[in-house]
């Protein structure tokens, strides 16, 4: 098979990136475009051998990178961000071809965020500090020491943005990285390797390996030389990774999605509430933070539903390369089968489709809203990860909070209310890592991000990221005892 493919005019190397060089694998896997099902290319399919080589390269490069000054590490991260911005259009179109998300979103939001991820953690590194403090005359000094090689396993719904969200703080901290992108959307990770090399990142500091979790992922997460593992994805896969890492007590950061509520109270601005609710169809519903459970106070439920249907049915679904498109395809045939399975089982159990409830041509799934669903129904309790919302009603605040918290997850929550007192009361009771009041998806990298319950382990963002990717050290120095001065 050829070592390179061309996607939308962009040349992409399909081999592994290990130790600063391209490495072929004996086998490949097929990468499909969700837009039309066309074959984008055959991608190097790694296994235990590639995992060993990549971790070995990261281990060898670690002492030199860890000893590199903060200023120089930050400079190189900014140079990588420069490379991302120079190739922004190429990255945007390749990502759209590979995972089906809107090209306009990639151009205007996602790829600029990729560069921002790199710049933010470069700048945070330079400011990272903890004020010294005294204990009985002794000086305490806290420092963040690089931990070692890190394995970063990233999802397919926002491949490059979520990759750099992990890569940037790991590299800034002085660690070396083995990045394994999802096999359904591997292409921009390969381009990131090229951009990083061109920016002057030393060989072996960033390695990119491709393949299936059961073949290369298990070998990476069980490796005794790996000092950190960060994973974004499903709960079953996270359990497998945790079991694999347990033998070496390798620290984990896990972001595992959710089943987030969107609460609409009777005093809410209904137009705002509807806008926020329809926004949950973004990226064809493939957003971990999406408020897929609409919980609406009984007194405004009928009017809310009427306005929601009016707005949602005017969404344009089609080719994500078209600027007018609002909803593109789902990422893979298996994902569409999963989404439709959830919906059809819900309908068979008595759910009523207010809109949608069916597949369309190819990998396009109609935006769906289901009502007449029980709180213990599968469609209410389990993450669908598609353009499928449920609508339930509540009578008062207590019931709203009870319904909102009544799942195994706790990633995010959104509430719409005109009463600041109510907002304060309700948010204090919600089990969620992030709560939005009268807004959605407002994100700042200096804020902690993560989930409660099965939505994850740990927090990322700002100093929390460095706390994870580093070994924190406290050095206590006595006020006396020096025998040499100068």
């Amino acid at each position: 098979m050829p070592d390179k493919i061309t996607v939308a005019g962009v040349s992409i190397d399909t081999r592994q990136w290990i130790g600063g060089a391209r490495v072929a694998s004996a086998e490949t896997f097929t990468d499909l475009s969700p837009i039309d099902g066309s074959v984008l290319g055959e991608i190097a399919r790694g296994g235990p051998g590639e995992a060993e080589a990549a971790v070995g390269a990261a281990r060898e490069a670690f002492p030199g990178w860890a000893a590199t000054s903060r200023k120089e590490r930050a400079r190189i991260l900014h140079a990588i961000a420069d490379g991302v911005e120079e190739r922004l259009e190429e990255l945007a179109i390749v990502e759209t071809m590979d995972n089906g998300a809107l090209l306009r979103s990639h151009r205007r939001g996602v790829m600029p965020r990729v560069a921002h991820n790199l710049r933010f953690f470069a700048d945070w590194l330079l400011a990272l500090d903890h004020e010294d403090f005294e204990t009985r005359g002794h000086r305490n000094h806290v420092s963040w020491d690089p931990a070692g090689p890190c394995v970063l396993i990233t999802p397919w719904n926002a491949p490059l943005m979520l990759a750099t969200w992990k890569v940037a703080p790991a590299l800034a901290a002085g660690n070396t990285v083995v990045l394994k992108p999802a096999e359904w959307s591997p292409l921009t990770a390969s381009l990131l390797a090229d951009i990083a090399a061109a920016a002057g990142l030393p060989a072996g500091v960033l390695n990119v390996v491709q393949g299936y979790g059961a073949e290369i992922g298990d070998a990476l997460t069980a490796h005794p030389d790996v000092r950190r593992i960060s994973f974004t994805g499903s709960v079953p896969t996270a359990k497998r990774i945790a079991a694999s890492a347990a033998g070496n007590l390798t620290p984990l950061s896990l972001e595992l999605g959710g089943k987030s509520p969107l609460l609409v109270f009777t005093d809410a601005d209904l137009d705002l509430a509807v806008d926020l609710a329809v926004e949950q169809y973004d990226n064809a519903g493939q957003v971990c933070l999406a408020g897929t459970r609409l919980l609406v106070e009984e007194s405004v439920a009928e009017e809310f539903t009427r306005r929601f249907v009016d707005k949602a049915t005017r969404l344009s679904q089609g080719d994500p390369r078209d600027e007018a498109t609002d909803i593109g395809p789902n990422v893979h045939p298996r994902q569409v089968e999963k989404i439709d399975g959830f919906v059809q089982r819900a309908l068979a159990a008595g759910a009523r489709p207010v809109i949608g409830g069916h597949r369309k041509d190819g990998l396009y799934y109609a935006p769906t809203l289901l009502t007449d669903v029980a709180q213990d129904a599968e469609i209410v309790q389990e993450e669908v990860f598609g353009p499928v919302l449920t609508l339930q009603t509540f009578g008062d605040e207590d019931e709203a909070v009870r319904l909102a918290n009544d799942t195994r997850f706790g990633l995010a929550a959104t509430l719409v209310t005109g009463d600041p007192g109510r907002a304060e009361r309700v948010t204090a009771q919600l089990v969620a890592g992030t709560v939005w009041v009268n807004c959605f998806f407002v994100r700042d990298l200096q804020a902690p991000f993560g989930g409660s319950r099965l939505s994850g382990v740990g927090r990322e963002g700002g100093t929390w990221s460095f706390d994870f990717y580093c070994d924190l050290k406290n050095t206590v120095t006595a006020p006396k005892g020096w025998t040499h001065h100068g």
Side-chain angles (χ1 to χ4, degrees):
M1 301 301 295
D3 293 335
K4 293 187 176 182
I5 59 175
T6 300
V7 175
V10 181
S11 178
I12 305 165
D13 202 305
T14 59
R15 295 172 292 177
Q16 319 285 357
W17 177 255
I18 299 174
R22 290 292 176 177
V23 177
S25 294
E27 296 185 72
T28 64
F29 63 90
T30 303
D31 186 27
L32 302 174
S33 175
I35 298 173
D36 55 10
S38 61
V39 174
L40 296 175
E42 296 297 320
I43 312 300
R45 177 176 165 181
E50 287 87 348
E52 182 63 41
V55 174
R59 180 182 61 236
E60 184 177 343
F62 173 66
W65 183 244
T68 302
S69 70
R70 285 188 177 192
K71 185 176 180 181
E72 178 62 8
R73 295 203 302 262
R75 186 194 67 78
I76 291 177
L77 283 173
H78 276 291
I80 298 172
D82 291 342
V84 167
E85 289 173 346
E86 290 166 6
R87 302 188 65 179
L88 189 146
E89 181 64 24
E90 293 181 6
L91 293 167
I93 186 60
V94 169
E95 194 101 294
T96 291
M97 294 295 294
D98 205 17
N99 86 329
L102 299 185
L103 180 57
R104 74 181 192 213
S105 294
H106 283 143
R107 283 172 170 158
R108 300 172 192 172
V110 178
M111 294 308 160
R113 169 64 184 273
V114 168
H116 175 66
N117 287 346
L118 294 156
R119 297 195 193 282
F120 174 89
F121 286 107
D123 293 340
W124 199 271
L125 168 68
L126 296 180
L128 185 65
D129 194 21
H130 189 293
E131 186 176 347
D132 289 353
F133 57 98
E134 184 181 300
T135 304
R136 298 190 300 278
H138 296 64
R139 181 172 65 92
N140 292 261
H141 176 73
V142 176
S143 57
W144 286 260
D145 291 356
C150 301
V151 166
L152 312 179
I153 304 174
T154 53
W156 42 259
N157 58 322
L160 192 57
M161 192 274 283
L162 293 176
T164 52
W165 189 358
K166 300 176 187 296
V167 168
L171 294 183
N175 299 320
T176 51
V177 165
V178 179
L179 169 64
K180 193 204 102 52
E183 60 268 23
W184 288 352
S185 56
L187 300 183
T188 50
S190 180
L191 293 176
L192 177 64
D194 295 337
I195 292 169
L201 190 68
V205 175
L206 172 65
N207 306 275
V208 179
V209 293
Q210 302 145 162
Y212 297 123
E215 295 173 357
I216 193 169
D218 287 354
L220 290 171
T221 55
H223 200 290
D225 291 333
V226 171
R227 295 314 313 137
R228 296 291 187 274
I229 299 170
S230 180
F231 169 72
T232 298
S234 70
V235 171
T237 302
K239 290 180 178 180
R240 181 171 178 167
I241 290 172
S244 180
N248 302 307
L249 291 179
T250 308
L252 295 164
S253 175
L254 304 172
E255 195 270 276
L256 308 178
K259 194 69 180 176
S260 300
L262 191 159
L263 297 92
V264 180
F265 289 93
T266 189
D267 52 21
D269 177 336
L270 278 193
D271 286 335
L272 172 64
V274 166
D275 287 345
L276 295 176
V278 173
E279 191 178 344
Q280 308 310 309
Y281 289 130
D282 183 50
N283 202 22
Q286 298 167 145
V287 177
C288 60
L289 294 160
T292 55
R293 294 186 295 131
L294 307 183
L295 304 176
V296 184
E297 195 158 356
E298 292 166 356
S299 59
V300 293
E302 184 176 346
E303 179 62 16
F304 171 88
T305 304
R306 186 190 67 77
R307 296 191 198 186
F308 178 93
V309 170
D310 180 63
K311 187 175 182 67
T313 52
R314 287 187 276 115
L315 293 172
S316 173
Q317 187 168 26
D319 192 321
R321 294 167 293 187
D322 189 332
E323 279 280 320
T325 296
D326 298 307
I327 301 179
N330 290 97
V331 69
H332 191 274
R334 277 169 44 196
Q335 185 65 16
V336 176
E337 289 294 335
K338 176 187 172 186
I339 294 165
D340 195 48
F342 273 112
V343 172
Q344 297 312 315
R345 290 190 297 274
L347 295 176
R352 179 174 64 86
V354 180
I355 59 171
H358 58 87
R359 297 181 60 164
K360 301 173 80 171
D361 291 338
L363 301 187
Y364 296 82
Y365 204 90
T368 296
L369 176 65
L370 302 177
T371 190
D372 296 342
V373 291
Q375 178 62 22
D376 62 354
E378 177 194 53
I379 197 71
V380 172
Q381 293 292 325
E382 300 297 329
E383 186 176 46
V384 178
F385 224 59
V388 178
L389 310 179
T390 58
L391 188 145
Q392 299 165 270
T393 61
F394 61 84
D396 56 26
E397 278 185 28
D398 289 342
E399 186 179 14
V401 170
R402 180 180 63 77
L403 293 174
N405 287 339
D406 188 21
T407 74
R408 300 180 301 157
F409 298 98
L411 185 59
T414 301
L415 64 144
V416 193
T417 176
D419 182 347
R422 168 174 280 155
E424 185 174 347
R425 288 192 302 274
V426 172
T427 56
Q429 299 176 75
L430 293 175
V431 179
T434 300
V435 179
W436 286 288
V437 180
N438 296 332
C439 60
F440 176 67
F441 219 64
V442 178
R443 295 286 313 284
D444 193 311
L445 282 175
Q446 64 185 314
F449 177 80
S452 304
R453 298 174 175 167
L454 289 189
S455 285
V457 175
R459 294 293 184 269
E460 296 180 82
T463 302
W464 291 278
S465 286
F466 287 95
D467 287 348
F468 172 70
Y469 286 111
C470 292
D471 290 325
L472 270 75
K473 178 190 293 178
N474 185 45
T475 301
V476 185
T477 304
K480 297 179 181 179
W482 304 115
T483 59
H484 175 72
H485 301 275

